[in-house]
Structure formats: C-alpha cells, structure tokens
Amino acid sequence: MTQTQANPSRPRLRRLLLPLLAGALLAACGGGNTRPTAPQPVAPVVPDPVVAPPKIGLALGGGAAKGFAHIGVIKMLEANGLKPDVVAGTSAGSVVGSLYASGMDPFQLQEKAVALDEGRIRDVRLFSGGLVQGVALQDYVNAQVGKRPIERLRMPFAAVATRLETGERTVFVRGNTGQAVRASSSVPGVFEPVTIGQYQYVDGGVVSPVPVDAARQLGADFVIAVDISSKASGKRPDGMLGIVNQSISIMGQRLGEQELARADIVIRPDVTDYGSADFTRRNQAILEGEKAALAALPQIRAELARLKAQRLQAARAEAAARAAAQAPKLPPCKPRSRWNPIGREQENCTPVAD
C-alpha cells in the first residue's frame, strides 16, 4: 500500500498567507468606517468694536481771585492733548469756565486775565450796605462771550448757584450767561443776591464748592476737578472777602469732600496762601495751575487708559453676545459612539449626549 508523502512547503506557505489575509480582512472591515477628515473652518478675524473716547469734563471750583489758577490748568491740559468736552464752574470757576466755553483758547484767557481791571467787575452800591451789585460782572461776561446765551456757547457749560429761599443747588445750563455767572459768584455778605424769575440766588460754593456732579450732568464720563478753595489752616484770612470766603469754605468743606470723591482726578494748585481779593498775584496763580496740572498728567493718562480698556472690554462682550444671539440654530444629533462604531455622524448639527 502506497503512503502519500506530505509536502513540507505547504505549512510554510500557510504561515506566510495568514497574516496577509488577516490584514486584508481588517482593512475591509474598517474601510466602511473611515472617511476623509474635513478641513476645520477657520474663525473669521473680527475687528474690535469702535468705542467712542471718554467725554472729559472739567469742574472748576470757587475761590475768588485764586480762580486765575484755572487758566494755568487749562493751558497745561490742552498743551498735552487733553481738551475738555464740557465745563462746569462755581463762583470764580464759572467766570473762567464761561469764557473758555465761549471758544477762547488758554492763551486768550491769559490775555484777558492780565488785562482785567478789577474795577470793571466790582460795582459797589453804598445804599445797600456797601455790597457789590454784580451787574458789572454780568455785563463783563456777556461782552466777552458775545452776548450769547449758555446754550449757544461752543462748549456745553454749567454755572452752579444756590437758591437762597431753599438752599437748593441750581445748575444753569440755559439762558443769560452773564446773569448765571453773576448768580454763581454772588458771595453772601459781599454781593447782593441775584433775582432770577421768582427766586434769589447766591454763590454756588455754599452747596457745591467744586461742581463735579454738574459736569456729570453735562455728560462727562471722566471728570477732572480743580480745587482752589480755602481751607481752615489756622491762619487768619485777610480782609472781608477773605473772611467770608473762608467761612463759606468751612461750611461747605464736608459737602465738598463728598462731591470731590466722585471726581476721577482732583488737581489742587498751591494757592492756599493767596488772598481771595489779591488780583496782583494773577500771574503766579496761573503758574501754580500749570505746575499742578503737569504733576497730575501721569495719573490722568493712566486713569483714561484704564477707562478706555474697560469700555473696550464691555463692547467686546456685548458684540460677542449679540453675535451669539444672531447665530443660526442647528438641529440636535447624536455623535458616533462605541455602540455604533460604523455609523455616520450627521453634519451641521448640535451634538447631544446619548
């Protein structure tokens, strides 16, 4: 009986073919579950929203002849590209503020200050107890602003006065410019009260020594306050006007501190020792205003930059929220999972959990 001999090469061939067949089977099984990777969409570059620059407000405080320091502050601010958009003034601050709001530049203000004759704005009436009537001041201001009412000045302006009958703060933003300034500057005991309509008005420093809130009312986002008020430093004030001004400052000091706290920057020219009725030191007062404003510039720039950054961040968040609200809503779909390894994902949908 013949015995068939085994072919020794057959097991070797099987060993070679098995890995190839297994690889082919795996490739065939996985072939239906592969698809080309879709390119990921590139998010469009969205430009930053346009944010309006902060509106700068200038709040000029009262202080009689020390008010010349306001001119130095304005000079230095404008020289460094910081032009206020609105201006509010109390007493002496309302005088400088009204002329500035009328369109005068700082150098014109300084020329007016140097050429000012004190007698032109002081009309004493003997039969009223020696009080200053204030009509001369009213006429002077109206002549300088071209007899324009407040609402027709080139810059939004407010003059702050005190209603004598009630003690209420009154902010004049319309009407006779000179009359509003006269009311704001009518120091009690020195000037006669000003009658406007059915009320009488006296110096705004009684209720608002530095009119920060009035500048806010004009729309200012960033308020620079200039404080030239007298402080009770232990020294005896000079003359009747000095006594009255210091008395008003003492009465309104606590109230003034609260309002000054609402300013973004407070500039204090070193004019504490200047007499309230001393017009001879006007040039020195202007210089002190320049020096104080120059020293405050780094802080002003830093605070303005911080405010701009906050507004830009808020605008970005608002734009993102608006874009999200306007985006099309995609239908829900279930993603491919291990329980469905060869299924196809639905495209253009919002994945949800199984």
Side-chain angles (χ1 to χ4, degrees):
M1 189 170 175
T2 305
Q3 204 171 23
T4 305
Q5 292 183 351
N7 190 347
S9 62
R10 194 171 292 173
R12 188 181 306 156
L13 181 62
R14 189 180 298 117
R15 287 195 300 270
L16 291 172
L17 291 176
L18 280 176
L20 294 175
L21 290 172
L25 286 172
L26 287 173
C29 290
N33 196 30
T34 60
R35 59 178 177 178
T37 304
Q40 295 296 320
V42 179
V45 177
V46 180
D48 273 335
V50 178
V51 179
K55 184 178 289 188
I56 299 176
L58 195 58
L60 304 178
K66 295 185 288 185
F68 291 110
H70 293 317
I71 298 173
V73 171
I74 294 171
K75 280 182 64 178
M76 193 55 61
L77 291 178
E78 284 210 3
N80 287 273
L82 297 169
K83 182 174 175 59
D85 299 287
V86 303
V87 58
T90 289
S91 196
S94 73
V95 179
V96 176
S98 65
L99 271 56
Y100 184 47
S102 74
M104 292 185 189
D105 61 40
F107 294 98
Q108 289 174 312
L109 289 175
Q110 185 165 354
E111 288 177 0
K112 297 292 182 184
V114 172
L116 179 62
D117 179 6
E118 185 183 353
R120 291 186 61 188
I121 59 173
R122 181 171 296 180
D123 47 355
V124 178
R125 294 214 303 183
L126 298 178
F127 61 86
S128 65
L131 297 181
V132 177
Q133 185 180 11
V135 175
L137 174 61
Q138 176 177 323
D139 292 342
Y140 171 79
V141 170
N142 279 333
Q144 299 305 315
V145 303
K147 298 183 179 179
R148 284 173 290 169
I150 295 175
E151 63 270 21
R152 290 184 55 196
L153 299 179
R154 293 189 182 179
M155 183 188 302
F157 168 68
V160 179
T162 305
R163 184 179 294 179
L164 189 57
E165 290 82 359
T166 61
E168 294 178 16
R169 181 185 71 117
T170 301
V171 181
F172 291 101
V173 294
R174 301 180 58 81
N176 188 310
T177 303
Q179 190 177 47
V181 170
R182 174 188 170 193
S184 179
S185 306
S186 293
V187 179
V190 177
F191 280 74
E192 294 179 0
V194 181
T195 301
I196 302 176
Q198 57 181 330
Y199 298 105
Q200 288 189 313
Y201 296 91
V202 294
D203 195 294
V206 175
V207 291
S208 181
V210 186
V212 175
D213 295 339
R216 297 276 187 204
Q217 286 179 244
L218 290 175
D221 305 308
F222 186 89
V223 176
I224 300 173
V226 186
D227 180 18
I228 56 170
S229 60
S230 300
K231 304 295 187 294
S233 59
K235 296 182 180 180
R236 180 180 299 176
D238 59 323
M240 176 60 69
L241 184 58
I243 294 172
V244 173
N245 265 295
Q246 181 152 321
S247 300
I248 292 174
S249 298
I250 292 171
M251 288 187 294
Q253 194 164 346
R254 185 63 57 87
L255 190 64
E257 289 173 357
Q258 294 173 1
E259 190 166 2
L260 280 172
R262 295 190 284 273
D264 296 280
I265 298 290
V266 179
I267 298 176
R268 290 186 172 91
D270 187 13
V271 292
T272 305
D273 295 332
Y274 287 41
S276 299
D278 188 359
F279 281 71
T280 64
R281 302 182 71 182
R282 65 190 79 184
N283 287 324
Q284 292 95 321
I286 292 172
L287 181 59
E288 290 298 337
E290 292 178 10
K291 290 164 57 178
L294 181 63
L297 281 176
Q299 186 185 3
I300 294 173
R301 295 193 188 282
E303 289 298 314
L304 277 173
R306 184 181 61 82
L307 178 58
K308 290 176 182 177
Q310 287 179 348
R311 296 179 69 168
L312 180 58
Q313 184 177 4
R316 285 172 177 167
E318 183 180 351
R322 188 167 53 249
Q326 294 173 351
K329 302 299 182 182
L330 300 177
C333 62
K334 291 184 178 181
R336 184 169 53 238
S337 68
R338 61 183 182 140
W339 305 111
N340 186 20
I342 61 173
R344 294 178 61 85
E345 285 187 357
Q346 180 182 349
E347 296 181 358
N348 297 323
C349 63
T350 304
V352 295
D354 289 338

